[in-house]
Amino acid sequence: MRSLIDITDLSPAELDGLMDTALDIIANGKQYSDMCRGKKLATLFFEPSTRTRLSFEAAMYELGGNVLSVTDAASSSAAKGESVSDTVKVVSCYADIIAMRHPKEGAALVAANSASVPVINAGDGGHCHPTQTLADLLTIRREKGSLNNLTVGLCGDLKFGRTVHSLIAALSRYEGLKFVLISPEELKVPSYVKNDALKKRNIPYTQTTDLASALPELDILYMTRVQRERFFNEEDYLRLKDSYILTPEKLKAAKEDLCVMHPLPRVNEISVAVDNDPRACYFKQALNGKYMRMALILKLLKEAGTL
Ligand code: NCD
């Protein structure tokens, strides 16, 4: 059974195919409005979410399908001590496809090994978040025309930020990319991400704590929230949370066609005054996420023989 646990489960050709489908959905949405009639998506969210869960649900509704939803771990059998493995075996009896978010790294893989329907990882702890990356890739392709030959700055909590890990893994398979990793010392990209995606492929990258000096060379600036829920103590979070705040003043030094991204939710990392700048792409990113999730649901249901 084909699931999506890690972004590298999809080949670059498959990523291109999903983006092509998403662009076709944007152009010809009506033709897709009945494709999942009678099919059910279960969203199992054991961690907070607004856009990821709602965009999965909107995606399934726009394909004509239905949604079953667990939004609160405390109200599900997980609170009684049920294992992830048992939960998804049961949910496989009711739904054709599952999207799951869980606070533990590796939980989505455990789920995929037990489920008899496709499982989509909607975020597993501080590990990865492949469907956010699908949204990010489509955004870059639409804004920049291509995913090649770009200087990409990632800024903020690069240690716990799972969207960053998946995005680096995905982008490292395109041509001519350079990465600038901007974070406090304590929140640098984990070694395993650098080793697997960057070092193995000899992709150029630099690490810095200084956003202002990195900004002028960037084509993409991907801001992230400091991931409070993954910290062991509140003092460290309070010390680091406002390390980077993007303002219109700072953006003056950036390229005119810079694309400013953020997976959202934003806390303080981007001043609201930046929202009116044409370079702000983060709300478009949230919309692109819905189209990519539609494309992914279609692909996985087709491969499972359900459609
Ligand atoms: C991200 C996540 O859950 O990792 N949110 C999202 O899905 N768009 C980013 C975050 O929570 O900071």
Side-chain angles (χ1 to χ4, degrees), residues 51-52 101 129 132 162-163 225 227 229 262-265:
R51 82 218 77 244
T52 304
R101 170 170 288 188
H129 191 349
Q132 178 62 46
R162 55 192 173 195
T163 65
R225 169 180 75 88
Q227 307 278 299
E229 64 276 38
H262 191 307
L264 302 177

Side-chain angles (χ1 to χ4, degrees), residues 9-30:
D9 296 344
L10 294 164
S11 69
E14 286 179 308
L15 290 177
D16 288 344
L18 287 171
M19 286 186 265
D20 292 342
T21 305
L23 292 171
D24 193 54
I25 292 170
I26 292 167
N28 306 298
K30 282 219 174 86

Side-chain angles (χ1 to χ4, degrees), residues 18-20 22-23 26 132-144 147 261 287-289 291-292:
L18 287 171
M19 286 186 265
D20 292 342
L23 292 171
I26 292 167
Q132 178 62 46
T133 300
L134 297 180
D136 300 343
L137 295 179
L138 181 63
T139 305
I140 297 173
R141 181 161 145 188
R142 293 183 81 187
E143 297 300 316
K144 291 282 165 201
L147 288 146
M261 300 173 67
L287 180 60
N288 286 330
Y291 297 123
M292 286 302 271

